[in-house]
Amino acid sequence: MADQALVVIDLQNDFCPGGALAVTGGDEIVPLVNDMIRRTDHVVLTQDWHPAGHSSFASSHPGAQPFTMIEMPYGQQTLWPDHCIQGSLGSDFHSGLAWTKAELVIRKGFRPDIDSYSAFFENDHTTPTGLGGYLRERGIDTVTLVGLATDFCVGFSALDAVSQGFRTTVRLDACRGIDLNGSLDAMLQRMRDAGVTLEDQLSD
């Protein structure tokens, strides 16, 4: 298992029930993710880490509503409720997450003018987080992704992982999706088409 890593995406308070951008059932995956962490040698976590007034927040655009789209210099951007503001309770990992085994925490979305869904690249798809280089330098060529949300940060991380040459699996039973205007089915198809292995132990 030395060449494999578990990447836990954004399992933070603001994405769990009661949070600012809650994913339905987001907290339900914590026990399963913890079990996978215990059984994996190499664990990486990502943490959404926005400064106040981030450009992806609807509140930063007068008159704009959350979950609408705007055009940014790097392409289309969904506007979100304020969430995962640096140092806030909402940005903390879920209190039940056994995160201390993580060898690396990748913070993303900290640049004020660009959002970051993927664990590998900002939303311009060219600015790297450094995760790809870290994994390669460690001799890791296989990744399994879990966390929140399936159709955004997990999905885009999986697509980038494949494009970077990693054998990539998403454990769907250890993820939950937002499903914004059909985004969940669309992302599942994109991942299949890209060569991501989709596993769901609940249906096996």
Side-chain angles (χ1 to χ4, degrees):
M1 302 289 282
D3 60 350
Q4 302 182 27
L6 177 68
V7 183
V8 181
I9 305 289
D10 296 1
L11 234 175
Q12 296 165 258
N13 290 327
D14 266 348
F15 296 125
C16 292
L21 185 48
V23 179
T24 302
D27 55 344
E28 297 171 355
I29 66 174
V30 172
L32 176 54
V33 172
N34 284 346
D35 186 50
M36 295 176 72
I37 288 173
R38 280 191 290 272
R39 293 184 286 108
T40 306
D41 290 336
H42 303 297
V43 179
V44 174
L45 272 64
T46 70
Q47 187 175 23
D48 224 26
W49 195 247
H50 295 305
H54 192 269
S55 62
S56 69
F57 294 165
S59 62
S60 298
H61 304 270
Q65 295 298 311
F67 309 112
T68 57
M69 301 284 287
I70 65 166
E71 193 69 27
M72 298 288 273
Y74 52 85
Q76 286 208 316
Q77 170 69 48
T78 301
L79 294 179
W80 304 106
D82 292 24
H83 66 280
C84 295
I85 294 173
Q86 296 170 357
S88 67
L89 181 62
S91 70
D92 288 348
F93 294 120
H94 185 281
S95 61
L97 181 65
W99 62 270
T100 55
K101 187 179 176 181
E103 298 172 344
L104 178 70
V105 176
I106 291 281
R107 284 178 166 164
K108 58 191 184 65
F110 56 81
R111 294 178 174 87
D113 296 327
I114 186 168
D115 206 4
S116 185
Y117 297 155
S118 169
F120 291 88
F121 290 96
E122 308 282 281
N123 282 8
D124 61 1
H125 307 296
T126 57
T127 304
T129 64
L131 178 57
Y134 174 86
L135 294 173
R136 278 189 287 271
E137 206 164 272
R138 298 289 306 278
I140 292 167
D141 61 12
T142 301
V143 294
T144 298
L145 284 78
V146 299
L148 306 172
T150 315
D151 39 343
F152 285 93
C153 295
V154 174
F156 283 106
S157 297
L159 294 174
D160 282 344
V162 167
S163 75
Q164 291 291 294
F166 296 98
R167 287 194 293 272
T168 306
T169 297
V170 171
R171 273 286 297 270
L172 294 175
D173 51 336
C175 301
R176 292 293 183 272
I178 296 175
D179 202 14
L180 190 60
N181 301 317
S183 57
L184 182 55
D185 282 345
M187 180 55 79
L188 291 174
Q189 190 60 53
R190 285 185 67 180
M191 288 193 287
R192 287 189 196 99
D193 291 346
V196 177
T197 300
L198 301 180
E199 290 186 358
D200 187 344
Q201 301 296 320
L202 295 176
S203 63
D204 287 353

